[in-house]
């Protein structure tokens, strides 16, 4: 997600349980740099392996501890191992802080040997034409499927938490990833806009979730992904 819009809001944080208290291990992969590196987080009985690909919301941008982003919270479940490839500023067309676009993360996704890959569309491709968003999204999902033919690919809709009306690229991104994931036999899941209009769940930029907001995202992702028949 873009990081440069600022609207002052009140932030309400819940009580956080230290990772050490739940036996979670974190391994940071230096290939993406210190600020936005991927994180492999696993519980004591890791089983299902998940890779997540997305933007700064998924990366946990703005949090004092990026292991509080929703993919890392997912990994606290004993049976789930998560490699979070969230890339701040990145998109299907846009190169992010990790030095690449989403397609450039596929090699790292493959190296994690996931059984499930969750990819989320992004507002970082705003400013590009509908045709170019469609083409890049389709190419990335095809390449991901080719690299991981046995993995289940799940695509999530674009999030828009800003108080202003969403630009047309938001709907375009969602439509493109829906068509693209279905074309490779994957599953599209709309989690709606669970944070929009909830100031206490957003940081001061009215865009990136607080820790409480990340928990809400995890609950919505789990609920809607399971409703779609995907087992996490």
């Amino acid at each position: 997600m873009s990081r440069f819009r600022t609207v002052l809001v009140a932030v309400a944080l819940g009580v956080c349980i230290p990772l050490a208290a739940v036996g979670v291990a974190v391994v940071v992969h230096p290939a993406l740099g210190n600020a936005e590196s991927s994180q492999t987080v696993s519980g004591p009985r890791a089983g299902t392996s998940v890779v997540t690909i997305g933007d700064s919301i998924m990366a946990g941008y703005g949090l004092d501890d990026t292991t509080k982003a929703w993919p890392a919270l997912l990994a606290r479940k004993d049976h789930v191992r998560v490699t979070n490839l969230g890339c701040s500023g990145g998109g299907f067309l846009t190169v992010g802080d990790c030095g690449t676009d989403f397609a450039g993360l596929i090699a790292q996704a493959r190296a994690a040997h996931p059984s499930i890959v969750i990819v989320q569309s992004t507002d970082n491709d705003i400013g590009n034409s509908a045709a170019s968003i469609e083409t890049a999204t389709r190419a990335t999902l095809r390449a991901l499927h080719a690299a991981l033919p046995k993995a289940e690919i799940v695509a999530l809709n674009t999030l828009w938490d800003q108080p202003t009306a969403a630009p047309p690229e938001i709907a375009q991104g969602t439509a493109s990833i829906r068509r693209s994931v279905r074309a490779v036999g994957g599953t599209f899941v709309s989690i709606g806009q669970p944070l929009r209009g909830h100031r206490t769940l957003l940081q001061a930029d009215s865009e990136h979730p607080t820790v409480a907001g990340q928990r809400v995202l995890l609950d919505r992702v789990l609920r809607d992904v399971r409703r779609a028949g995907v087992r996490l």
Side-chain angles (χ1 to χ4, degrees):
M1 290 297 228
S2 172
R3 302 173 299 174
F4 304 105
R5 296 182 289 268
T6 303
V7 178
L8 184 61
V9 297
V11 178
L13 295 178
V15 176
C16 303
I17 301 174
L19 293 179
V22 291
V24 176
V26 179
V27 178
V28 177
H29 298 263
L32 295 183
N34 292 332
E36 300 300 339
S37 56
S38 64
Q39 302 152 5
T40 299
V41 189
S42 59
R45 298 188 300 278
T48 300
S49 178
V50 179
V51 164
T52 53
I53 297 175
D55 56 26
S56 55
I57 287 180
M58 187 178 283
Y61 175 78
L63 302 179
D64 59 356
D65 181 357
T66 56
T67 61
K68 294 173 183 174
W70 72 259
L73 298 178
L74 170 64
R76 293 184 180 186
K77 296 181 177 299
D78 290 351
H79 64 294
V80 179
R81 180 175 184 272
V82 179
T83 298
N84 184 8
L85 298 179
C87 176
S88 292
F92 290 104
L93 287 159
T94 307
V95 173
D97 292 352
C98 58
T100 185
D101 56 19
F102 288 172
L105 300 173
I106 293 175
Q108 292 179 75
R110 183 179 183 182
H113 304 291
S115 52
I116 299 173
V117 182
I118 300 175
V119 186
Q120 185 152 39
S121 188
T122 176
D123 68 353
N124 289 329
D125 289 328
I126 288 176
N128 292 285
S129 69
S132 61
I133 291 173
E134 182 81 22
T135 298
T137 305
R138 182 172 61 248
T140 300
L141 269 293
R142 284 178 176 173
L144 183 62
H145 176 63
L148 292 162
K150 295 183 179 181
E152 184 169 10
I153 302 177
V154 178
L156 306 180
N157 61 289
T158 315
L159 295 176
W160 181 258
D161 301 328
Q162 294 290 314
T164 56
E169 292 93 338
I170 301 303
Q172 176 62 47
T174 293
S176 292
I177 202 169
R178 181 178 64 244
R179 287 189 287 265
S180 297
V181 74
R182 288 176 176 171
V184 298
T187 303
F188 173 76
V189 177
S190 175
I191 64 170
Q193 303 295 340
L195 305 184
R196 186 171 169 81
H198 299 281
R199 288 188 172 186
T200 59
L201 298 178
L202 298 170
Q203 298 175 40
D205 60 6
S206 293
E207 181 170 10
H208 294 94
T210 62
V211 173
Q214 291 284 355
R215 291 186 184 124
V216 170
L217 284 180
L218 174 61
D219 288 344
R220 183 63 66 87
V221 169
L222 284 175
R223 186 196 74 179
D224 292 345
V225 165
R226 287 168 175 167
R227 283 180 176 176
V230 179
R231 298 185 63 183
L232 285 176

